[in-house]
Amino acid sequence: MTARANDEPIRLAAVGVGRIGKFHARHVQEVAAADETCLLTAVVDRHADTAKRVAAELSAGQAHEILAFDSPEALAAAGVAEAAVVASRTADHRRDTQALVESGLRVLLEKPLADTLKEAKELGAWLEAEPGRNQSVMLAFQRRYDEPLLRAKALLDAGRIGTLFKIVSILEDPEPPPPGYQSSGLLTDMGVHNADEVLWLSGRSPTAVLGMGGGLYNQKIDGVVVEDFDDAFVQLWLGEDVVAQIQVSRNHVAGYRNETTLYGTEGLIHVGHFDDDPLKVWLEAYGKEHVVIEKQAFPTRNYERPVPVFIRRFGPAYKAEVAAFVACCAAAKPFAVTHQDGLRAMAVVAAAAAALRTVGQAQPL
Ligand SMILES: NC(=O)c1ccc[n+]([C@@H]2O[C@H](COP(=O)([O-])OP(=O)(O)OC[C@H]3O[C@@H](n4cnc5c(N)ncnc54)[C@H](O)[C@@H]3O)[C@@H](O)[C@H]2O)c1
């Protein structure tokens, strides 16, 4: 980690410019416009035509041209970036990260850390093998930068609901992933967000897991991206006195649903409602006898055009995450969320996936 010379902006590339990568690139440009700590110089995509098209779109209105490359290796050889935001297919996370880190770039890597727990462990071991590498990767768990969830954590840590004993974390998509999307399985692709949230909010590590999964709705539709399950409930013990439930689904047809509930000995904190206004995220905290500790709505960002549901919910968090990454790169500081957090969450979802039971494996009634 070397600090930037002469206050020159950190030169960044966006690697993988599909659904989410394009937004990361835009957010880099917005951070650059606001404080000049960074500059988006390049985009990379294995689909060379996509790289060229997105580079041209992102160059519009900029003082410089955004370059297009078809591999992380070509980007590294050109020497036009000190850091990169990687949102390539999950199956490419490990090789893209290794190629970039090998060339001295710091990387903001989309979740999950890798396609399988085995690959994630191998990537983790490779990053740990040399002192220069082990601070190269920031894991993009955007919930850690989400204002409503940060407020919930602050209330929890301040003891406002007493001692935490239960967490329920729900993430439900309104539809299956788009055609061509590469999923590592329902829990690794979606539940990894909830797993990290539970670890982060509780400060605990799970000690036992069980759960049930089903192919209830979208997996029965012809032509849908094939996944192991489209709905799952996972229960975790975090020691003997704290439990958590993770609920993930591709079948919440009424719209995108994110809710987190923290149960304490003195009250409850709840983040997220499902209602008719997706541009507001509610946080409510109650003490005993329904006493309101805090109740407020956090506006999300209105991009004023159709955007993927996760962007509509977490837009400001994705941008804050990019800003935190740039700030650490500019100051040559360690990242607060690293590959180790990615690995811990992967270990939880891998154990959960192995523990899931289907109807044929359950106790018959
Ligand atoms: N943090 C979040 O909330 C969040 C949300 C969505 C996606 N993601 C993660 O971001 C990553 C990208 O997801 P996405 O939704 O943008 O996916 P996407 O399918 O839209 O894009 C992925 C990238 O892979 C490329 N690609 C597609 N087919 C390819 C092929 N055959 N060979 C090589 N490259 C190919 C695309 O051009 C694109 O660059 C995934 O790892 C996903 O888990 C995270």
Side-chain angles (χ1 to χ4, degrees):
M1 276 189 288
T2 32
R4 64 197 170 127
N6 311 321
D7 284 344
E8 287 293 313
I10 297 287
R11 295 174 303 164
L12 265 121
V15 177
V17 280
R19 276 189 313 166
I20 196 164
K22 277 186 289 196
F23 284 89
H24 288 322
R26 286 277 185 211
H27 292 151
V28 170
Q29 289 186 314
E30 289 174 8
V31 173
D35 66 11
E36 298 181 358
T37 49
C38 63
L39 191 66
L40 184 79
T41 55
V43 299
V44 178
D45 204 290
R46 283 198 172 74
H47 289 157
D49 51 339
T50 302
K52 283 190 194 136
R53 177 178 46 79
V54 175
E57 284 167 18
L58 293 167
S59 295
Q62 300 291 314
H64 63 287
E65 186 194 349
I66 313 286
L67 303 173
F69 297 96
D70 63 5
S71 71
E73 289 80 4
L75 168 77
V80 294
E82 288 87 44
V85 184
V86 173
S88 50
R89 294 180 312 167
T90 298
D92 292 328
H93 283 189
R94 179 174 66 159
R95 64 171 168 163
D96 288 351
T97 301
Q98 289 193 192
L100 295 165
V101 171
E102 190 101 80
S103 303
L105 278 76
R106 297 185 89 191
V107 169
L108 173 60
L109 175 62
E110 257 308 339
K111 54 51 63 176
L113 180 60
D115 202 28
T116 61
L117 181 59
K118 179 174 175 288
E119 271 191 19
K121 283 182 179 168
E122 286 165 1
L123 176 56
W126 183 82
L127 289 167
E128 306 276 325
E130 290 202 8
R133 288 184 200 146
N134 65 8
Q135 260 302 325
S136 298
V137 173
M138 170 169 159
L139 221 288
F141 282 134
Q142 82 278 1
R143 289 168 183 237
R144 304 241 194 160
Y145 298 88
D146 180 60
E147 268 195 62
L149 286 167
L150 283 165
R151 182 65 195 145
K153 180 156 172 54
L155 291 169
L156 176 70
D157 291 350
R160 299 294 299 276
I161 59 160
T163 305
L164 178 75
F165 60 80
K166 184 164 73 174
I167 304 179
V168 175
S169 178
I170 300 170
L171 167 56
E172 299 185 321
D173 274 355
E175 57 196 8
Y181 183 77
Q182 183 260 322
S183 167
S184 325
L186 183 72
L187 291 180
T188 303
D189 195 61
M190 292 182 72
V192 77
H193 284 293
N194 309 81
D196 180 65
E197 181 178 278
V198 167
L199 297 175
W200 170 54
L201 292 173
S202 70
R204 299 257 190 138
S205 293
T207 48
V209 59
L210 55 78
M212 57 185 273
L216 301 181
Y217 175 54
N218 80 50
Q219 284 299 302
K220 294 179 179 160
I221 300 169
D222 279 349
V224 81
V225 171
V226 176
E227 292 188 289
D228 46 0
F229 299 101
D230 59 21
D231 238 288
F233 296 98
V234 172
Q235 287 93 19
L236 299 162
W237 277 267
L238 300 113
E240 288 187 6
D241 49 355
V242 181
V243 294
Q245 169 149 303
I246 290 173
Q247 186 174 326
V248 280
S249 173
R250 300 281 194 197
N251 298 324
H252 197 267
V253 297
Y256 189 52
R257 177 177 178 222
N258 275 271
E259 288 187 49
T260 304
T261 311
L262 305 171
Y263 298 78
T265 51
E266 301 296 324
L268 166 106
I269 304 169
H270 180 221
V271 176
H273 278 294
F274 186 81
D275 62 19
D276 58 349
D277 184 358
L279 292 176
K280 256 192 218 120
V281 180
W282 281 94
L283 174 139
E284 310 154 282
Y286 299 100
K288 288 188 175 169
E289 272 305 321
H290 303 250
V291 167
V292 175
I293 298 172
E294 186 167 317
K295 203 169 182 178
Q296 59 167 316
F298 292 77
T300 68
R301 175 169 169 180
N302 186 350
Y303 286 81
E304 283 163 0
R305 65 197 153 93
V307 296
V309 286
F310 47 85
I311 298 290
R312 194 170 59 181
R313 164 63 183 86
F314 287 108
Y318 294 123
K319 184 172 167 185
E321 165 185 272
V322 160
F325 175 67
V326 168
C328 287
C329 291
K333 283 195 173 149
F335 301 123
V337 191
T338 71
H339 63 280
Q340 288 169 345
D341 298 284
L343 193 48
R344 272 193 283 273
M346 287 279 300
V348 172
V349 288
L356 288 193
R357 295 290 174 268
T358 55
V359 63
Q361 299 163 321
Q363 174 68 40
L365 289 171

